[in-house]
Amino acid sequence: MTAASSHPPPPAQPPSAAFDHDTTSGRFVEALGRPGAPQWMGQVVCGVLSAHDTSSALQAQAGDLAQCVKAARLLSVECAKQDKALERVRTGRLIRVVVETPGGAAFCFPIVPDEHVVAFLTDTGHTATPRAVQAADDVVIDFATPMRRQRGLPPLDPGGRTDLLSPAAPAKDRPPVVPVSGQGPLYEAAVRTLDAATLQWVAHVCGRSVKFAVDCFDHERAASHFMVMSRYERRWFYADFASAIEPKVRALSRHVLPVVGGPARRVSLDVEEGVIVAHWLGPREYLVGVTLEQRRVQEVEGIVAGLATSPTRMLGH
């Protein structure tokens, strides 16, 4: 045996090492130069910032940059916790997290376990419009998607934007199931809006109390989503998850507060099969919506926002 052969072969590189650092840095620069781009983007691996870049608006502000680095690391850790919590519902891995505040937004995209692309939208002219948040979201989606391809992983559809679809045809020929009944304008609007093609489950939560929950899981159009986990188990999971949504939103928003401000007005937990959207209504009060249709994620995020901010809702609950 030669001296060379007496040594064990070097360990295989983890997936994150396969992505060239210089290429990643160059892509950050390119992404941040796009119209509507966020002001800071970084790659976090095992809680450590491995690459990042920032827009010229932030480059001279060392304090802001330090806050971005710290917030990115903490947000990636919190997203990993939420990914673990969502395993029980069997809708795939968490692939996109959006924390939207009145003044900006934070985005976290898991590539593989313990590797995340994080971005912050901070320069919004004091008010982050839905259009500005969506534009920044699109930039980060376009940045993160090739990173999975380079690792030989199958493509996913974060945000449900691979094929932008026309609005879904309504599927309302069967009345919704009402596991937790309610009353008032918000309840009535939720029942009217519920649709097996788009928004399939919605609840009003105050503190840890679910004021109402309605769904259309019994509709035949949703039947394919209950081959692995029954509709009854999903109802229980989403009600339990929603009852704890306030501390989950608080944990996510606390980490990004120094960068994008607060409070969080919308949090999207986008998984491989659908999304859970929590929209702020008031102190410790949220409207929570769910779809299991990944292609309809963007549409459902808009539907939940419309319900949460509608004039009818403002008249009372």
Side-chain angles (χ1 to χ4, degrees), residues 30-160:
E30 180 183 357
L32 290 169
R34 287 181 52 184
Q39 281 68 54
W40 188 95
M41 293 179 66
Q43 180 186 19
V44 180
V45 180
C46 296
V48 177
L49 188 71
S50 65
H52 73 98
D53 209 329
T54 185
S55 68
S56 58
L58 283 178
Q59 286 176 357
Q61 304 174 44
D64 288 348
L65 290 176
Q67 292 280 20
C68 287
V69 171
K70 180 179 180 181
R73 294 176 60 200
L74 293 173
L75 183 59
S76 71
V77 171
E78 189 60 39
C79 287
K81 291 180 182 178
Q82 297 307 319
D83 184 30
K84 187 72 174 177
L86 289 165
E87 284 182 357
R88 288 186 296 141
V89 78
R90 301 180 184 180
T91 48
R93 303 301 299 263
L94 186 64
I95 60 175
R96 167 180 165 266
V97 174
V98 180
V99 181
E100 181 182 341
T101 73
F107 310 89
C108 187
F109 286 73
I111 306 301
V112 293
D114 294 324
E115 180 180 359
H116 303 81
V117 170
V118 180
F120 298 119
L121 176 68
T122 62
D123 185 12
T124 61
H126 305 295
T127 301
T129 65
R131 180 174 295 181
V133 174
Q134 181 176 320
D137 198 3
D138 288 341
V139 170
V140 187
I141 288 172
D142 290 346
F143 179 90
T145 298
M147 298 179 76
R148 285 186 56 84
R149 285 202 302 264
Q150 184 148 353
R151 288 157 176 75
L153 298 171
L156 299 174
D157 187 15

Side-chain angles (χ1 to χ4, degrees), residues 1-8:
M1 180 182 295
T2 65
S5 63
S6 64
H7 296 288

Side-chain angles (χ1 to χ4, degrees), residues 259-293:
V259 179
V260 298
R265 68 183 180 194
R266 189 254 300 188
V267 168
S268 289
L269 300 174
D270 185 357
V271 292
E272 293 179 49
E273 294 181 11
V275 70
I276 300 174
V277 187
H279 206 290
W280 185 85
L281 297 177
R284 304 191 67 205
E285 184 179 8
Y286 294 87
L287 188 69
V288 183
V290 172
T291 185
L292 300 171
E293 293 282 353

Side-chain angles (χ1 to χ4, degrees), residues 1 3 28 31 62 71 89 103 126 128 151 173-174 177 184-186 218 221 245 247 249 273 280 290 293 307 317:
M1 180 182 295
F28 277 134
V89 78
H126 305 295
R151 288 157 176 75
D173 56 332
R174 182 171 295 183
V177 171
L186 182 58
D218 284 346
R221 185 159 178 170
I245 200 71
V249 171
E273 294 181 11
W280 185 85
V290 172
E293 293 282 353
L307 271 174
H317 299 158

